[in-house]
Amino acid sequence: MRRVILILAACATLGLVGGGAIVGLGLYNVSAQAGHWPGVGWVLHTTFRNSVRLRAPDMSKAPDLSDPDLVALGAGHYASACAPCHAEPGGERTATMRAMEPAPPRIEEAVAHWQPNHLHWIVENGAKMTGMPPWPAEDRGDEVWAVVAYLEAVRVGTAPALPDPGVGGYCATCHGPVGGEVPRLDIQTPGYLERAMRDYATGARPSGIMAHAVSLLEDDEMVDVARYLSGEVRDTPPPPAGDARPGGEDLARRGTRDVPACVACHGPGPRLDGRDRDRFPSLAGQHEAFLATQLTLWRDGVRTGSALMTAAARDLTDEQIDMLASWYSRQPPEEVEDD
Amino acid sequence: MRGCDGTLWPSLPCSRFLLSSSALLALSSCGGRQSALSPAGEDAAAIGTLFWVTLAIAVVLFIAMNALFVFAIRTRTFTLDPETARWILVLGGIVLPTVVVGGLLVWGLSLLPDQRQPGDGLRVRVVAEQWWWRVEYFPEGAEEPIVSANEIRFPAGQRTELVLGSDDVIHSLWIPALGGKMDMFPGRETFISLRPTEPGIYRGQCAEFCGASHAWMAFEAVVMEPDAFDAWLAAEAEDAAEPVEGAAARGRDLFLAEGCGACHAIRGTDAIGQVGPDLTHVGSRESLGAGRLGVTLDDFATWIAHTDDLKPEVEMPAYDHLTDAELADLAAYLGGLE
């Protein structure tokens, strides 16, 4: 028995020394040119595939992935954040990307063998030792569905062309033409937009899509971008058809014993002309899906940064959120005054 | 120790009585504006009498029992025959306690309906919130209430009906100097009526643990002469005074610009929120934050900027981003809402 223990101890010591030498003296060749030993690639890839399948979320949480606004938002994000590695659909990756180990697959190949919930998990979580990064904001799995919607459109061959930044720049490829989860910004003051961009940059306001977008800007560019986006109405989707859900107006204007009156800070109405629109965004005419998502994020404590709004949203029910989004999205927007 | 001399047991020398009873009683309860031992109303007086008589009986029995112990152990020189001993046990151990406790029980229960008598006209609905009080006055025949908060005013000499409820958890309304208490439940109405007799300002307190700031959930109960009460209620029904200029007018603009009206109502302005206390006449109240602070302008500024420090977990966020000058303007506006 004693002998066995001694032999085991000797083996363990040798192993530690050997392992230490490999790490400490740099004996292992990390060259990507050398590639993996036979079989290792298969082990890694199979592990990856099974890990994704085990952890992918339930599809019941998914929104309607055929929603054109959602697809367009996903396309806008894909064009800037994903295409550099995975290429545009129908396009080819750069030689540099193809030389990566492992090489990021062309997007048609990447999506071919996954279900939408698998793609959601991969885009939100990334994968270790592959170069695939996780979503750059926590608790925003809701945003990831936009990218998944676009990827699904790629998979079935209905994807729109990636947006061309053109004259308005990258921001205007979504803010303006795209509705749904993308807010219109012409109704906000430059001061509010600049604050929002800085909050996205620091992560104070969590959003993977916007964190990526503002990381493309130099700090002093934010003022110009805010001024450019504010005020001037560009092509924006029409307000939703039909009447607002009953109850939304009363809730917004009067509140309840648990819900403050929204209009006191967010308008609309002439009665609160003095309200500070650099702090309190205007909501009249904002897109319905965006309003509902943001109210839910406030209520659930994902979006923080204003004790006032956290307290205001705390007791909202899902139904009240839908009522408010429905009413506000059908109101005529308020003018932004030049300052 | 004011108040001891005003109790229902005036013949008992106050200081000696306190020394002979517990020190705790001496320190906390005997007197003051939140004392069941200084009744200022019919209902508290009835409960007070019951308390003092119960206490007197207890004291007499306690002394008698101890005397009996001493006699039985030290002094006794004879032996009782079993028949006599049995009679002593039956009479002293069964009959006497039954009669005394039964009598006190009947007396005590007979007081209960008194606090449920119909009132003389005024009805007040009080709804408890974490941690403050919605107060709505319904004068005789009124359909729509006169809304106030964190203070209940009574006309002296009249019986006022209190209809009680809660919006969140179980609370309990207790004004020791006037009577009560009565629990307040979400989803259920309870009822109590009180007839204060002595004009004055008394303190009420939530008497059922209701969360982090339960201890800070208090209010003022103000008993006024009937004429003064009628005048006050008529003024309370009016819209808020409109500030003309200066600090108060700046405060009004700030109140609206900061969105305070989302939660607070000030009648006659655009502020129509329902989440927090109605502030239409907050300047005429006796306290702020449901008995937390006084009503000086400094108190207003302190409260607005430090709600959470003063009242843990309170729903109102602290407006600590306001400058001292802005807080002073707000205080001038709110303090002027009389």
Side-chain angles (χ1 to χ4, degrees):
Chain A
M1 187 63 200
R2 191 183 160 83
R3 217 180 141 89
V4 173
I5 290 173
L6 276 175
I7 290 172
L8 282 176
C11 287
T13 310
L14 270 177
L16 276 176
V17 170
I22 290 170
V23 174
L25 302 178
L27 298 183
Y28 178 74
N29 185 3
V30 298
S31 163
Q33 227 159 20
H36 287 302
W37 289 344
V40 172
W42 178 87
V43 169
L44 292 175
H45 195 72
T46 306
T47 304
F48 167 68
R49 212 169 45 224
N50 291 333
S51 179
V52 171
R53 293 212 166 112
L54 179 68
R55 292 173 172 79
D58 192 346
M59 274 306 283
S60 65
K61 290 178 188 163
D64 172 17
L65 297 179
S66 62
D67 175 3
D69 284 326
L70 203 62
V71 174
L73 171 60
H77 184 68
Y78 182 90
S80 173
C82 318
C85 290
H86 294 285
E88 294 184 20
E92 185 47 278
R93 298 153 296 172
T94 60
T96 306
M97 290 308 160
R98 279 177 297 179
M100 279 180 72
E101 178 58 41
R106 281 179 53 241
I107 195 59
E108 294 94 332
E109 295 166 29
V111 300
H113 303 294
W114 294 112
Q115 295 300 310
N117 58 328
H118 299 143
L119 291 170
H120 184 280
W121 194 90
I122 295 169
V123 174
E124 185 175 13
N125 292 278
K128 281 177 191 167
M129 297 194 291
T130 64
M132 176 72 189
W135 196 251
E138 282 182 37
D139 295 326
R140 288 305 308 271
D142 60 297
E143 281 187 311
V144 174
W145 287 114
V147 176
V148 175
Y150 173 72
L151 296 180
E152 185 63 7
V154 169
R155 195 170 70 86
V156 300
T158 58
L162 288 181
D164 173 14
V167 190
Y170 177 58
C171 310
T173 60
C174 284
H175 294 291
V178 183
E181 299 285 348
V182 181
R184 56 187 291 184
L185 303 183
D186 54 289
I187 57 178
Q188 312 300 2
T189 64
Y192 177 77
L193 295 179
E194 193 190 333
R195 274 169 53 114
M197 280 188 274
R198 296 198 190 286
D199 286 348
Y200 284 129
T202 61
R205 184 169 170 181
S207 163
I209 291 175
M210 282 309 298
H212 175 83
V214 297
S215 67
L216 301 171
L217 293 173
E218 299 291 336
D219 196 64
D220 56 356
E221 287 176 322
M222 290 186 186
V223 182
D224 297 336
V225 169
R227 200 158 286 153
Y228 173 78
L229 290 169
S230 163
E232 196 172 325
V233 187
R234 301 192 171 77
D235 64 277
T236 195
D243 292 335
R245 281 161 171 261
E249 174 165 17
D250 194 53
L251 186 58
R253 291 198 184 282
R254 295 182 43 79
T256 69
R257 288 189 168 187
D258 296 316
V259 180
C262 314
V263 298
C265 292
H266 297 288
R271 61 190 207 152
L272 294 163
D273 281 339
R275 73 178 205 271
D276 185 352
R277 288 182 61 181
D278 288 354
R279 275 172 62 203
F280 304 123
S282 184
L283 302 186
Q286 187 55 279
H287 298 148
E288 187 167 2
F290 172 77
L291 287 171
T293 298
Q294 296 301 311
L295 282 171
T296 307
L297 292 174
W298 279 112
R299 194 262 318 269
D300 295 346
V302 176
R303 186 171 169 191
T304 55
S306 160
L308 283 184
M309 193 57 205
T310 297
R314 184 165 43 209
D315 291 321
L316 285 173
T317 63
D318 286 345
E319 198 195 344
Q320 286 174 324
I321 286 174
D322 290 345
M323 276 156 52
L324 289 172
S326 169
W327 182 72
Y328 262 119
S329 59
R330 286 166 172 80
Q331 300 313 301
E334 298 174 289
E335 299 233 333
V336 178
E337 293 124 33
D338 286 327
D339 46 15
Chain B
M1 280 304 137
R2 81 191 167 89
C4 263
D5 40 28
T7 63
L8 287 163
W9 213 256
S11 57
L12 198 65
C14 188
S15 58
R16 191 178 304 167
F17 167 74
L18 285 175
L19 285 173
S20 63
S21 64
S22 79
L24 192 68
L25 200 67
L27 286 173
S28 64
S29 304
C30 186
R33 59 200 195 103
Q34 187 183 315
S35 173
L37 302 182
S38 311
E42 197 175 84
D43 311 275
I47 296 170
T49 310
L50 176 68
F51 170 77
W52 288 116
V53 170
T54 308
L55 184 68
I57 293 173
V59 167
V60 167
L61 284 173
F62 182 74
I63 293 170
M65 284 305 296
N66 280 289
L68 209 57
F69 278 135
V70 173
F71 174 75
I73 295 166
R74 295 266 167 99
T75 321
R76 182 171 58 94
T77 56
F78 57 91
T79 312
L80 289 175
D81 65 282
E83 186 68 6
T84 312
R86 190 174 298 121
W87 274 111
I88 288 176
L89 284 179
V90 168
L91 288 176
I94 298 175
V95 176
L96 182 67
T98 306
V99 168
V100 171
V101 175
L104 286 173
L105 180 67
V106 169
W107 184 15
L109 290 176
S110 76
L111 295 181
L112 282 183
D114 294 348
Q115 286 195 56
R116 301 185 58 79
Q117 295 174 56
D120 296 326
L122 177 66
R123 187 159 51 92
V124 183
R125 184 159 71 207
V126 184
V127 177
E129 296 267 358
Q130 284 172 316
W131 294 273
W132 60 283
W133 316 80
R134 295 181 192 274
V135 181
E136 298 170 337
Y137 295 86
F138 294 82
E140 192 156 19
E143 294 285 320
E144 288 299 308
I146 299 163
V147 180
S148 185
N150 293 338
E151 187 172 284
I152 308 178
R153 298 208 177 209
F154 297 90
Q158 294 176 23
R159 185 159 285 279
T160 298
E161 298 180 357
L162 297 170
V163 180
L164 309 176
S166 165
D167 260 3
D168 37 49
V169 298
I170 300 177
H171 302 267
S172 184
L173 181 110
W174 193 22
I175 314 167
L178 301 186
K181 55 194 185 259
M182 181 57 72
D183 282 359
M184 310 166 86
F185 304 90
R188 186 182 142 187
E189 261 186 7
T190 50
F191 177 84
I192 189 173
S193 71
L194 296 173
R195 183 170 173 267
T197 50
E198 305 287 329
I201 300 174
Y202 308 96
R203 189 172 185 274
Q205 166 70 40
C206 180
E208 181 73 44
F209 180 72
C210 58
S213 283
H214 161 66
W216 295 123
M217 183 169 169
F219 63 96
E220 259 59 46
V222 183
V223 180
M224 308 172 79
E225 295 292 356
D227 290 346
F229 177 84
D230 290 342
W232 170 82
L233 192 60
E236 189 74 6
E238 295 290 317
D239 284 351
E242 184 72 10
V244 185
E245 55 188 333
R250 288 198 303 275
R252 187 238 355 246
D253 295 344
L254 194 60
F255 186 90
L256 295 176
E258 285 291 325
C260 307
C263 292
H264 294 287
I266 295 182
R267 292 194 299 278
T269 75
D270 291 328
I272 54 171
Q274 308 165 59
V275 178
D278 183 293
L279 301 179
T280 307
H281 298 290
V282 67
S284 66
R285 288 188 204 142
E286 300 290 332
S287 75
L288 274 187
R292 183 66 183 89
L293 292 177
V295 280
T296 66
L297 296 189
D298 280 348
D299 288 331
F300 273 102
T302 307
W303 171 252
I304 295 165
H306 302 286
T307 47
D308 202 43
D309 296 333
L310 292 163
K311 214 161 177 171
E313 295 185 20
V314 68
E315 264 196 65
M316 176 171 155
Y319 281 68
D320 47 10
H321 62 276
L322 297 177
T323 64
D324 287 347
E326 288 173 325
L327 288 168
D329 289 344
L330 265 180
Y333 172 54
L334 295 170
L337 295 176
E338 290 183 356

